[in-house]
Amino acid sequence: MLFVYNFLQITLLLVAAPLLALLILGRRKYRERFWQRLGFGLHHRTEKITVIPGTRRVWLHCLSVGEVTSALPLVRGLRLGMPADRIIVTVTTSTGIKVAKQQLAPFADLVLAAPFDLLPVIHSFIRVLRPDLFILVETDFWPNWLHGLRRHRIPAMLVNGRVSQASFARYQRFRFFFRPLFSSFALLAMQTESDAAQMRALGVEAERLQILGNLKYAPAAAQNMGPATMLTRNDLKLPADSEIWVCGSTHPGEEELLLPAFADLMADHPRLFLLLAPRDPKRTPELVLLARRLGLDTMRRTCPQDQPARILLLNTLGELAACYHLARVAFIGGSLAACGGHNPLEASRHGIPVLFGPHMEDFAEIAQDLLQGSGAQMVSSREEITGAVRRILAESDVHAAMRTPPSNW
């Protein structure tokens, strides 16, 4: 299986080589990360990790921003419990790396771009990092990576494991491929009994499975954001008496519903301001144009010279969580578009009524808890969004009822 996988991988790389070369040579950020993911300069970047006899090294890997956020309490706990040991974090996506350097750097010794899943690259990373334990957060299974760890006899652990229906169907269809990957883990810590049952159905031995709940609940309970780390209305250049609707981590197609909904509410709620935080800040120019076509003015967080407007585009990374406490109501992006949703606890931990669309597959357990506890409402159209926000703003009993935290906090 591994031979076939590597043959296909090399063939694909050769076919795509011209396009990759243009992409890498044309943009500096791709060029730098590409060489880093191949392991170039790895020795130099790890020089600051001093070797202390008797200490251990933990290699923790996250796919992107969501996994980085989930990993924060785990990395903090590792640092508190193992103060002398070394914690090395790798992240696959560029945005994930930025957030990891902001959130995990105080507790980790090193944050790196994840290696490509090529055997020589994986072996190079293992030789340089010399981990005593590998921890994978949620998903991002790579055959060569796991094979390399097993070959070097480095125990691997999966934390916050989950299996969506779509993933389970894929795992069953390609059982011959995935079963050896799952067998590479010494321990698989799953979120729910349902996740564990699906793993057992895929052939994972019960003694290697643990049910430890959803790690994404931990940031809400453990994160201690003091006043110094919170943004204020003054920081955001919003009026002191403003009511703020925060729409966080939005994806293409969602703003086409959210901005018209805001336009519907503006006349009846003159103190209402919209803080719109796209998942990808590079989309800010297109959102400015979209708002302009709807007759709406915008101002950008990174452009203090912009004229005051009732829509603030938060075109930065890492500031969204520091804004939720200001919200009267919040919308969680990635849920109207079929993107699996984002973590609603970042808002609801502040007692903020939460709205999200029907696509919360990546946070299904949390979303269900919030719905059952009346802390959230599902919306799927402009009309439903407008109606829900209007009720929350106008009816104090509705707002109060939706401040209920999820049941298992």
Side-chain angles (χ1 to χ4, degrees), residues 118-138:
L118 300 168
L119 274 174
V121 176
I122 294 299
H123 289 315
S124 175
F125 267 74
I126 291 174
R127 283 195 302 271
V128 174
L129 300 183
R130 289 175 289 137
D132 297 292
L133 173 67
F134 175 77
I135 301 176
L136 173 62
V137 181
E138 292 193 20

Side-chain angles (χ1 to χ4, degrees), residues 234-399:
N234 187 55
D235 294 328
L236 300 172
K237 300 190 182 333
L238 297 175
D241 65 344
S242 58
E243 292 186 303
I244 301 173
W245 177 18
V246 175
C247 294
S249 301
T250 59
H251 288 249
E254 296 185 318
E255 297 90 359
E256 282 82 349
L257 299 177
L258 297 169
L259 287 171
F262 179 69
D264 294 340
L265 294 161
M266 290 177 67
D268 294 336
H269 299 277
R271 294 189 295 116
L272 182 62
F273 283 71
L274 175 64
L275 191 156
L276 181 61
R279 179 67 167 180
D280 182 0
K282 294 194 293 294
R283 296 183 54 238
T284 299
E286 74 179 69
L287 297 182
V288 172
L289 292 175
L290 174 60
R292 190 175 298 161
R293 287 198 296 270
L294 295 168
L296 302 172
D297 295 325
T298 59
M299 55 183 178
R300 295 158 294 179
R301 167 72 169 143
T302 58
C303 301
Q305 72 276 14
D306 284 353
Q307 291 297 311
R310 289 177 63 179
I311 299 175
L312 171 63
L313 296 175
L314 193 71
N315 57 337
T316 57
L317 284 171
E319 289 191 324
L320 176 59
C323 297
Y324 275 123
H325 73 107
L326 299 171
R328 181 73 176 174
V329 57
F331 170 81
I332 308 303
S335 60
L336 290 169
C339 300
H342 294 290
N343 192 354
L345 295 180
E346 290 185 346
S348 62
R349 68 182 289 264
H350 297 287
I352 306 301
V354 168
L355 306 176
F356 46 69
H359 298 288
M360 289 291 288
E361 293 86 359
D362 290 350
F363 297 86
E365 181 186 5
I366 296 174
Q368 188 60 35
D369 281 349
L370 284 168
L371 290 171
Q372 289 179 349
S374 301
Q377 180 179 338
M378 186 179 296
V379 292
S380 57
S381 67
R382 168 183 173 176
E383 292 75 21
E384 289 183 1
I385 295 168
T386 304
V389 174
R390 180 174 282 124
R391 283 191 299 275
I392 291 168
L393 294 175
E395 300 178 30
S396 58
D397 57 336
V398 173
H399 183 272

Side-chain angles (χ1 to χ4, degrees), residues 19-36:
L19 181 60
L20 283 172
L22 288 173
L23 184 65
I24 293 163
L25 293 173
R27 303 190 66 175
R28 180 181 177 183
K29 68 171 187 174
Y30 290 124
R31 189 164 60 247
E32 290 179 348
R33 202 160 66 91
F34 179 81
W35 296 120
Q36 289 174 11

Side-chain angles (χ1 to χ4, degrees), residues 62-98:
C62 305
L63 172 62
S64 191
V65 175
E67 290 76 19
V68 168
T69 304
S70 296
L72 177 57
L74 174 60
V75 175
R76 184 192 290 118
L78 288 172
R79 174 53 68 220
L80 290 174
M82 304 157 50
D85 293 333
R86 301 310 182 196
I87 302 172
I88 302 163
V89 177
T90 56
V91 189
T92 300
T93 68
S94 57
T95 53
I97 291 171
K98 290 178 183 177

